[in-house]
Amino acid sequence: MVIDRVLSVACYLCAGSASRTSMSEPRLSGRSQCEMYRMRFGDSDSDNKPLCMHCHGRMVAVCSFFSYLKIVRRGLIKRPIADIWLEVNRVRLQMWLARSGASPDCSLQIAA
């Protein structure tokens, strides 16, 4: 039924659902559990797939990691190798935090 599809949407990656009953239950970050993002996974996708907050954070972390590596590979960053290495490890840490379910606001500093 169309109404059921609107009220209960499952995440494309983890199959977790966000139902209308969980709208009033706040998460640790203060946001409601039912917030879903929409994302296309390729150029051939005709429709957007729903993503939960956790999977969205993981996708953002992975995309930022690979985009930084692409910039480094093209030689667009003119910094010492040690600084590039620290930045790569910082972005890898963000991927790990997203995978472990840490808040996106959590910022751990890597000592230089």
Side-chain angles (χ1 to χ4, degrees):
M1 192 165 157
V2 175
I3 294 174
D4 292 336
R5 186 176 296 161
V6 171
L7 296 180
S8 178
V9 179
C11 177
Y12 182 72
L13 295 178
C14 70
S17 65
S19 63
R20 190 173 176 91
T21 58
S22 65
M23 288 177 71
S24 60
E25 299 171 8
R27 295 179 110 185
L28 293 176
S29 64
R31 295 182 176 187
S32 64
Q33 249 181 329
C34 72
E35 292 184 29
M36 297 291 272
Y37 290 91
R38 312 280 297 166
M39 180 180 254
R40 286 189 184 175
F41 289 99
D43 295 333
S44 62
D45 280 350
S46 60
D47 59 341
N48 296 332
K49 309 286 192 285
L51 288 179
C52 65
M53 298 266 305
H54 177 70
C55 291
H56 177 263
R58 291 175 67 184
M59 290 296 293
V60 167
V62 169
C63 290
S64 65
F65 174 72
F66 282 110
S67 65
Y68 186 76
L69 289 182
K70 188 190 312 184
I71 291 170
V72 169
R73 185 174 182 216
R74 289 183 181 173
L76 299 174
I77 296 180
K78 308 294 184 199
R79 292 178 20 192
I81 292 292
D83 291 347
I84 293 172
W85 182 81
L86 284 174
E87 183 65 21
V88 166
N89 282 327
R90 188 192 66 77
V91 179
R92 285 180 60 209
L93 176 64
Q94 290 299 321
M95 277 196 313
W96 180 80
L97 288 172
R99 184 176 180 193
S100 64
S103 165
D105 301 332
C106 179
S107 60
L108 296 177
Q109 300 294 326
I110 297 176

